[in-house]
Amino acid sequence: MLGLPLDSWLLIAASTLLGPLLVLLFLRTQRRHEAARSAGESD
Amino acid sequence: MASSAVLLVLGVYLLILLGIGIWGGRGSGDMEGYFVAGKKLPAWVIAFSSNSTGESAWLLLGLTGMGYLVGVHAFWVVLGEVMGVALAWVFVARPFKEATDRYGSITVPDYLASRFRDYRGSFRHLLRVLSVVIILAMTGAYTAAQLTAAGKAFHSFLGFDYRTGVFLGAAIILFYTTVGGFRAVAYSDLLQGTLMFLCLLTLPIVGLVAAGGWTATVDALRAQDPALLEPMGGLGLGVAGWVSVFGFAGIGLAFLGSPQLLTRFIAARDGGEINRASLLAVICIVVFDVGAVTAGMTGRAIFPGLEDHETIYPMMGTELFPAVFTGLFLVVVLAAMMSTVDSLLILASSAVVRDFLQQVVRPGWSERILSRWGKATTVVLGVVALLLALEEVRMIFWFVLFAWSGLACAFAPVVLCSLFWKRTTRAGAIAGMAVGITVTVSWVLFFKASFHELYEMIPGFLAGLLATVVVSLFTESPEGAAEELDEIRASVGPAI
């Protein structure tokens, strides 16, 4: 595929995508935590 | 000799740094201002500053060279570094920032001393003093080596005399670091990180175009050596292949707890800035590393058969771009060195003044006096590094072999345990630091050659972690520490 073996593409994809995806998951969790905290404070 | 366009670019860059130094000087009159910019740094600055500090000239010369030498196999370094940065921002940054704010810490040894109540009991201050000794030994040699590299860069790009290059590099760094303190260091890192980002975004694209496009590049690499396109390189799935994979990926472990990187979290304005910085930081490191490896691979397609693979970056800079851009490529190499050296200098200065003078020897001195001592110490440390670099002392290269991994293996396992394991004790932390650094040094000197050149970060990190855990299990954890950790976790919330 595009001249590279599939396992090379898997390594390149993991190198470039795993880190940003982990951070996006972290940001979503933090937003939910902040929302829950704000809701708790307003109650 | 250098063209006037190259000198112009270099002159503008150095003038901007001097300006940042003068601007940063406001607010560096006390310890918190001088060493952590008053804990007021915004997201953009801490994101770029942490990455440009973590990546020295090795990123531009070493990692591009690795892409040239081993091809796709070098993406294991990318995986390790990107995951190291991501894990640090997701799991370490928020609780570490919260803890250092609660303790009023402005250095990593400061944090460890408060977390483990190092100021009382037998052999008080031992953890702090051990931290200072390790920081000074590792940063002194590393700084001298980076100045040596700066002298060589001036010589090879501009034809300057080596000693003039070392002196010029050191003088500029010392000026803005001493006058401007951590604020100048962090904002100059932002400038330097942005230059590195733009360079490593552009270089592989220009390389691909010059090589005739993607298919032509891949075909050229396959014709030279089909192993360049394989994830395990020419090593296969045997022991040597996996040792190489773990060694490459292990480089990223340093991002989890090296003191010069943790200082960026301390200096952030608040936890919200850390959240905002996290995505920037991880995108920045992806561009840095993918750009460097891909540039090296395209460089091999264009310039096969280089005697020294680490010359591919200057080769591409001079052969594929007009003269004014050649100046920019030199500036980017200098930027990568300077952004590391300034951070190491201020780290070492904080270790001497905050962690030794103020906390151990002269607790009664005022903030203003200590801040002046901080500036004086920065100058003294810089001059010592300058003299070592001018004399090209061979010993420093011996130290540099393990300076990056030594700092990381001494601090990262202990910092991780301190944040995530309530049972961690002061004795465990001391043992972890001592064992981490000792195993790292011993591995390089006695064992590395017999174990397929396994990178010392792996055994050093694991040994530090093991020592921290085992000794902690047999000793008492500090009173109240478990409750503090619970409060910190509740405050920052879950990571994922």
Side-chain angles (χ1 to χ4, degrees), chain B residues 408-448:
Chain B
C409 293
F411 286 93
V414 172
V415 168
L416 290 176
C417 285
S418 75
L419 290 172
F420 299 109
W421 191 40
K422 293 176 194 171
R423 281 281 291 112
T424 315
T425 68
R426 175 173 174 261
I430 292 168
M433 290 180 83
V435 170
I437 188 98
T438 308
V439 169
T440 305
V441 175
S442 311
W443 189 265
V444 175
L445 297 181
F446 306 117
F447 303 108
K448 194 170 178 175

Side-chain angles (χ1 to χ4, degrees), chain A residues 2-3 8 15 26-27 30 37, chain B residues 94 214 222 229 231 491-492 494:
Chain A
L2 284 172
S8 293
S15 311
F26 163 69
L27 290 174
Q30 284 285 305
R37 177 186 273 182
Chain B
R94 285 298 306 273
W214 175 261
R222 186 181 295 108
L229 306 178
S491 173
V492 301

Side-chain angles (χ1 to χ4, degrees), chain A residues 1-4 9 12, chain B residues 72 75 207-209 211-221 229 294 297-298 301:
Chain A
M1 193 173 67
L2 284 172
L4 287 185
W9 280 117
I12 293 169
Chain B
V72 171
F75 271 92
L208 269 177
V209 172
W214 175 261
T215 309
T217 304
V218 171
D219 288 346
L221 293 175
L229 306 178
T294 314
M297 290 172 67
T298 60

Side-chain angles (χ1 to χ4, degrees), chain B residues 320-341:
Chain B
L320 303 181
F321 293 83
V324 70
F325 285 95
T326 308
L328 267 176
F329 278 91
L330 164 68
V331 161
V332 175
V333 174
L334 290 175
M337 290 166 191
M338 288 175 152
S339 59
T340 302
V341 169

Side-chain angles (χ1 to χ4, degrees), chain A residues 1-5 7-9 11-12 14-20 22-27 29-31 33-34 37, chain B residues 72 75-76 78-79 82-83 86-87 90 94 214 218 222 229-231 275 278-279 282 290 490-496:
Chain A
M1 193 173 67
L2 284 172
L4 287 185
D7 47 3
S8 293
W9 280 117
L11 173 60
I12 293 169
S15 311
T16 48
L17 297 177
L18 279 183
L22 183 66
V23 170
L24 286 173
L25 189 61
F26 163 69
L27 290 174
T29 310
Q30 284 285 305
R31 270 197 298 273
H33 173 68
E34 289 301 324
R37 177 186 273 182
Chain B
V72 171
F75 271 92
W76 288 107
V78 182
L79 180 66
V82 170
M83 289 311 292
L87 290 169
V90 167
R94 285 298 306 273
W214 175 261
V218 171
R222 186 181 295 108
L229 306 178
E230 298 289 336
N275 286 0
S278 56
L279 195 56
V282 81
V290 173
S491 173
V492 301
I496 52 174

